Amino acid sequence: MNTPRTPLVVVGDALLDHDLCGRADRLAPDAPVPVVHGTRRSSRPGGAALAACLAASDGRPVTLVTALGADPASDTLRELLSGRVTLVEVPLEGALSSKTRVLAGDRPLLRLDDGDGRARETTGPAVAAVTGAEGVLVADYGRGTADVLRAALTTAAAEAPVVWDPHVRGRAPVPGVRLATPSAQEARAFARRLEDGRDSDDQIGLRTAARDARTLVQGWRARAVAVTLGERGALLSHGETPLLVPTPAAAAGDPCGAGDRFAATAAALLADGALTEAAVQEAVHAATRYVAEGGARALAVREQADAPEHLPADGDTTADAVRTAARVRAAGGTLVAAGGCFDLLHAGHVALLQAARRAGDCLIVCVNSDDSVRRRKGGGRPLVPVADRVRVLRALECVDAVAVFDDDTPERLLGELRPHIWAKGGDYARTRLPEQPLVESWGGQVLLLPYLDGRSTTGLARRAALSPAPATEPGR
């Protein structure tokens, strides 16, 4: 049974983003500028609208409270948001801001900005949506939506978890937010305002980020601040010793929107009742996966019907894994899959999965269902039910998604995922895997990885059964 996910209200400034993506392999003859040719144009939600779509893609109801007007860009954005989120509008004065990036591959060459509209005033439905929310994400892009709803957001922060993703052009968060998520540069700029403009390190290292986070926790009266550090992860501070949450693996790709992915994930988990530390850890992992899967430009892939019509009925995890695989392939990344029962996860399993993740951009673990394990291992197995095995696997930093299969072999699931690499332990070196012809049929590769000797679930279970029971105290 799927666990219901808490509805989320996203408040902030929506943008309309365009990408002109092509190739640049020569300079113009009349000026030292690259010539971009073979361009493809795409449009997508930006700003708070991107954050709302990312939160909705996780399978939860999302309401977006934002400023829209009667201009063409606002109309286009309404069409892009239709069917994805519930839209509550406040009046926009001027034209909706839009951004056009010119890219050669994944490298931005130029950005053109149009429209300078700002939220004019609030409305009753907008106030009701914010004050009645079970969780709120403020995606402030400095164009006034958070300002006109500031009183409602202050009320919400006293009643529900509020995550505030600030912008240097905007104001500080309202007091009492559960988590603020500035980038290192934004944290430095806001901290300097609180420090009356006092200069600090030009290069923002961990020491500077930690000091800025502590300053902002105190100055903003926030419960916690997570300073995002790009490929280094995030630094979480409650005002004292900070917690560094590193990325699980390096992710090469377009980082546009990674901060929105981070904030949307953290806000959703806090709304579901997660601890702040756990929410930040998962947010770092989600932002890393987002970059590896192609970033904001992969949003359109979510609307394509390239997922199989019949998904295994194990809940959201397998469906999420299939969608993740499609996004990674569409973005040109290397998809790695590994499989097994993973009953009593041990050091040999972890070493294998870590090595598999380093072989590509994304790792999906294919795990046997309980019935599948029983057919393979006997009636006494599995020792750990599949829901718990999936939960433990998803908690590993090197694992991006988990899929469950009920067959004796993962071949049908592999046909849905179509990984570039199918990773197995080195103990299979003298045998030909039954799924090898299938993987090679779409140009994939079977890759054997070193396996730690002496580690096995059967051995662990046998030693645990032979261990003497601890003595108990009288009366207990």
Side-chain angles (χ1 to χ4, degrees), residues 166-173 182 185-195 215-216 220:
H167 192 286
V168 291
R169 293 173 56 183
R171 295 171 62 184
Q185 292 76 18
E186 290 165 344
R188 181 84 289 268
F190 277 112
R192 289 184 65 183
R193 295 180 195 176
L194 294 171
E195 296 166 347
T215 298
L216 297 179
W220 285 349

Side-chain angles (χ1 to χ4, degrees), residues 214-225:
R214 183 172 62 249
T215 298
L216 297 179
V217 168
Q218 298 168 354
W220 285 349
R221 287 183 285 166
R223 297 195 192 182
V225 170

Side-chain angles (χ1 to χ4, degrees), residues 137-454:
L137 167 61
V138 179
D140 185 10
Y141 278 78
R143 289 168 173 83
T145 303
D147 293 341
V148 301
L149 285 160
R150 196 167 183 85
L153 290 168
T154 301
T155 300
E159 303 291 336
V162 173
V163 172
W164 196 294
D165 192 12
H167 192 286
V168 291
R169 293 173 56 183
R171 295 171 62 184
V174 299
V177 299
R178 184 73 59 86
L179 179 69
T181 62
S183 68
Q185 292 76 18
E186 290 165 344
R188 181 84 289 268
F190 277 112
R192 289 184 65 183
R193 295 180 195 176
L194 294 171
E195 296 166 347
D196 296 324
R198 188 175 69 222
D199 288 333
S200 184
D201 313 12
D202 291 329
Q203 172 129 13
I204 302 176
L206 290 178
R207 177 182 294 183
T208 301
R211 184 173 64 244
D212 291 343
R214 183 172 62 249
T215 298
L216 297 179
V217 168
Q218 298 168 354
W220 285 349
R221 287 183 285 166
R223 297 195 192 182
V225 170
V227 178
T228 56
L229 304 170
E231 62 185 15
R232 289 182 293 172
L235 195 72
L236 173 64
S237 174
H238 294 277
E240 298 298 335
T241 304
L243 171 70
L244 177 63
V245 181
T247 56
D254 184 1
C256 178
D260 295 298
R261 175 73 275 185
F262 178 93
T265 300
L269 289 172
L270 291 174
D272 286 343
L275 297 175
T276 304
E277 288 78 2
V280 170
Q281 281 189 311
E282 179 54 34
V284 168
H285 292 190
T288 303
R289 290 194 298 271
Y290 169 86
V291 174
E293 293 170 5
R297 285 182 291 161
L299 277 180
V301 177
R302 301 178 192 274
E303 306 304 315
Q304 295 176 357
D306 58 357
E309 295 182 4
H310 303 290
L311 294 174
D314 64 288
D316 284 343
T317 57
T318 297
D320 287 346
V322 172
R323 288 193 293 266
T324 295
R327 292 194 295 269
V328 172
R329 290 197 310 270
T334 299
L335 176 66
V336 183
C341 300
F342 298 102
D343 200 10
L344 289 184
L345 192 74
H346 54 71
H349 293 140
V350 174
L352 173 69
L353 296 176
Q354 289 174 330
R357 180 60 176 82
R358 287 192 292 268
D361 300 305
C362 175
L363 172 63
I364 295 178
V365 178
C366 305
V367 62
N368 297 73
S369 70
D370 290 345
D371 287 342
S372 178
V373 174
R374 275 189 285 270
R375 290 194 300 269
R376 290 188 58 194
K377 304 287 187 179
R381 300 283 293 273
L383 301 170
V384 179
V386 68
D388 290 351
R389 288 184 281 133
V390 168
R391 185 169 186 174
V392 171
L393 285 166
R394 294 183 72 189
L396 295 178
E397 290 185 350
C398 56
V399 174
D400 296 289
V402 179
V404 178
F405 64 95
D406 196 45
D407 302 321
D408 292 336
T409 72
E411 291 181 69
R412 184 165 62 173
L413 178 57
L414 287 175
E416 297 167 353
L417 298 174
R418 297 175 66 86
H420 301 94
I421 295 174
W422 174 237
K424 297 295 290 185
D427 51 345
Y428 287 92
R430 298 183 182 274
T431 62
R432 181 171 175 84
L433 297 172
E435 57 269 25
Q436 185 166 345
L438 175 68
V439 174
E440 293 175 348
S441 71
W442 57 74
Q445 174 188 6
V446 174
L447 185 66
L448 297 179
L449 298 170
Y451 197 84
L452 294 180
D453 290 335

